[in-house]
Amino acid sequence: MNIKPFGVEEWMNAWETGARYNIAETCVDSISMDELFQLTGENKEDFLKNFCSRRLTYGDIEGAPALKRGIAGLYHSIHEDEIVPTHGATGANHHVFYSLISPGDRVISIMPTYQQLYSIPESYGADVKLVHLKKENGYLPDLEEIRRLAIPGTKMICINNPNNPTGALMDKEYLEEIVKIAESVGAYVLCDEVYRHLTQEDIWSESIVDLYDKGISVSSMSKVFSLAGIRLGWIATHDQEVLKSLFSHRDYNLISCGMFDEAVASLALKHKDVLLERSRNIVRESLAVLDAWVQSEPHVSYVKPKAGTTALVYYDLPIDSYTFCEEMYKTTGAFVTPGDCFEQPHSMRIGYAYGTESLKDGLKAVSKYIRLKGEYNA
């Protein structure tokens, strides 16, 4: 299989360790196990005693019942038997394509988004068509363009809601328009929903699976629940043929998830409201900090995110984003992601939810670098 290098992950792997100000991180400020027990009020000793007495088998092959109950509680209509646990959302996205996409299949995706959503189906020989998100449309997909590309027999439409890297959010009405297009050609809609529920307003975040029987939701414990270290994600769908294919293909590449990962996730999801409140408070406070900085910094601009933990920020200096981000890292210690990782030149993705003080310090460092470059290019 030939596949393009994964731009954003290669950048993170190369530079994240040693960053002085990490404002590239996309998870809401990660928590420790001790913090998880403090937040939930669960008894740590009882949890560990119970787990340590268990034999370390493969566990529940199709997922621990408590885990699947917790995941189902994040949706309006999903049942426990309509969930496939995976190794993170990256494992979930890959598994969907691995299970459903064949050479020649028409797949419609968007850009910018997480690269898996177009590079993996392309590597399988799919006929991938991209819809480019535009600032002037608030980074929402052009419905007419999707409609034009959705020819009879289209296999899948891939979206990301909230969007990474822009923070754009499609509401129920917008998603329903995409569902109508998919229904007209019998296509699946795969929605990467790893930032779902991280809204700036107190609203219910719609999931594609609550709106469409052929909708496929992917998510994880990493971003919203601050538990990336347990590497646990899932796929949710009502489509029984899809579920059959997912479980069949799972025997070849996954078998089961880790018992400890599932136990920790089950505990966290039992107290999802507490963790969601914490995460929403962090993203709202942090976005206010970022927005104030953008308004005060004359060399940058953005479309203010509606949800999620990331923003795509443009700068007006005559320098490509890889050079910009690498030089800034070496000069100031500020670590952001080049926009060119998402094929968005002269921009950077800023992750704003990994600690307010770190964000403030990191943004000061970005301004310092911009001033230095501005003086150099004057």
Side-chain angles (χ1 to χ4, degrees):
M1 180 181 78
N2 293 317
I3 193 167
K4 292 178 181 177
F6 203 150
V8 66
E9 296 299 344
E10 290 193 355
W11 172 264
M12 297 292 284
N13 293 343
W15 298 103
E16 186 169 19
T17 302
R20 186 176 179 187
Y21 307 113
N22 187 346
I23 51 175
E25 175 60 58
T26 58
C27 298
V28 177
D29 197 9
S30 297
I31 58 175
S32 66
M33 288 292 294
D34 283 341
E35 289 172 309
L36 178 61
F37 287 110
Q38 290 167 6
L39 285 165
T40 62
E42 293 281 347
N43 187 292
K44 179 171 66 173
E45 286 71 29
D46 287 349
F47 174 88
L48 293 175
K49 181 179 179 181
N50 176 268
F51 188 85
C52 290
S53 68
R54 299 174 66 183
R55 296 177 62 222
L56 295 180
T57 66
Y58 284 100
D60 296 280
I61 297 299
E62 294 187 358
L67 170 69
K68 297 174 87 169
R69 281 196 302 273
I71 294 171
L74 299 171
Y75 302 91
H76 281 324
S77 60
I78 283 291
H79 300 292
E80 295 168 33
D81 60 358
E82 297 174 322
I83 295 164
V84 182
T86 62
H87 294 163
T90 52
N93 282 326
H94 187 278
H95 194 70
V96 170
F97 294 126
Y98 168 64
S99 303
L100 300 179
I101 299 303
S102 299
D105 285 344
R106 170 64 62 95
V107 174
I108 301 168
S109 192
I110 59 175
M111 183 184 287
T113 190
Y114 199 54
Q115 190 177 332
Q116 280 191 312
L117 298 186
Y118 51 89
S119 284
I120 294 180
E122 182 182 60
S123 75
Y124 287 162
D127 174 27
V128 177
K129 301 298 182 183
L130 293 175
V131 175
H132 292 269
L133 309 181
K134 300 178 176 65
K135 276 195 285 188
E136 54 268 29
N137 195 33
Y139 295 112
L140 297 176
D142 186 319
L143 295 173
E144 288 306 313
E145 188 172 0
I146 296 176
R147 191 172 286 109
R148 177 179 61 81
L149 294 172
I151 60 175
T154 295
K155 190 68 170 287
M156 185 177 289
I157 299 171
C158 303
I159 54 177
N160 174 205
N161 195 45
N163 178 259
N164 170 20
T166 69
L169 179 67
M170 288 179 274
D171 61 17
K172 181 179 181 180
E173 290 70 29
Y174 216 94
L175 290 170
E176 286 176 335
E177 289 301 313
I178 292 176
V179 167
K180 289 177 184 176
I181 297 170
E183 283 180 324
S184 71
V185 294
Y188 301 114
V189 178
L190 168 64
C191 190
D192 184 327
E193 299 178 341
V194 295
Y195 300 98
R196 180 170 167 251
H197 298 298
L198 294 181
T199 53
Q200 289 293 312
E201 299 177 351
D202 292 329
I203 57 174
W204 170 259
S205 298
E206 294 292 342
S207 171
I208 197 66
V209 295
D210 290 326
L211 303 175
Y212 185 36
D213 284 345
K214 296 188 73 171
I216 302 169
S217 168
V218 161
S219 195
S220 79
M221 299 301 297
S222 299
K223 312 298 185 183
V224 176
F225 296 101
S226 305
L227 292 169
I230 63 173
R231 306 309 305 133
L232 189 66
W234 62 85
I235 307 162
T237 184
H238 294 300
D239 191 298
Q240 294 302 305
E241 287 303 310
V242 170
L243 288 166
K244 181 178 178 181
S245 181
L246 292 173
F247 278 116
S248 176
H249 285 77
R250 197 171 180 263
D251 292 337
Y252 283 93
N253 69 353
L254 196 149
I255 300 178
S256 66
C257 294
M259 289 173 59
F260 188 77
D261 297 339
E262 293 195 342
V264 173
S266 299
L267 184 151
L269 290 171
K270 180 181 175 183
H271 301 275
K272 64 180 184 298
D273 291 341
V274 173
L275 294 177
L276 283 171
E277 181 181 9
R278 171 188 180 270
S279 293
R280 289 194 189 107
N281 288 338
I282 289 173
V283 297
R284 292 172 185 181
E285 179 183 357
S286 299
L287 183 55
V289 171
L290 176 63
D291 190 59
W293 175 78
V294 170
Q295 303 309 319
S296 67
E297 176 54 67
H299 292 283
V300 304
S301 63
Y302 78 158
V303 175
K304 186 177 180 180
K306 299 286 188 182
T309 67
T310 63
L312 188 63
V313 178
Y314 288 84
Y315 58 85
D316 63 4
L317 300 175
I319 180 172
D320 72 89
S321 68
Y322 276 107
T323 303
F324 178 96
C325 294
E326 184 174 341
E327 282 189 356
M328 182 168 67
Y329 180 95
K330 293 177 178 177
T331 302
T332 70
F335 178 51
V336 299
T337 305
D340 280 306
C341 290
F342 301 90
E343 301 191 27
Q344 302 299 304
H346 298 286
S347 69
M348 55 184 157
R349 186 188 70 178
I350 292 178
Y352 55 81
Y354 208 62
T356 304
E357 292 308 311
S358 179
L359 175 63
K360 291 177 180 177
D361 292 340
L363 294 175
K364 288 178 184 177
V366 175
S367 288
K368 177 181 178 181
Y369 175 75
I370 288 174
R371 286 195 298 272
L372 288 173
K373 295 303 293 184
E375 292 170 2
Y376 177 81
N377 289 289

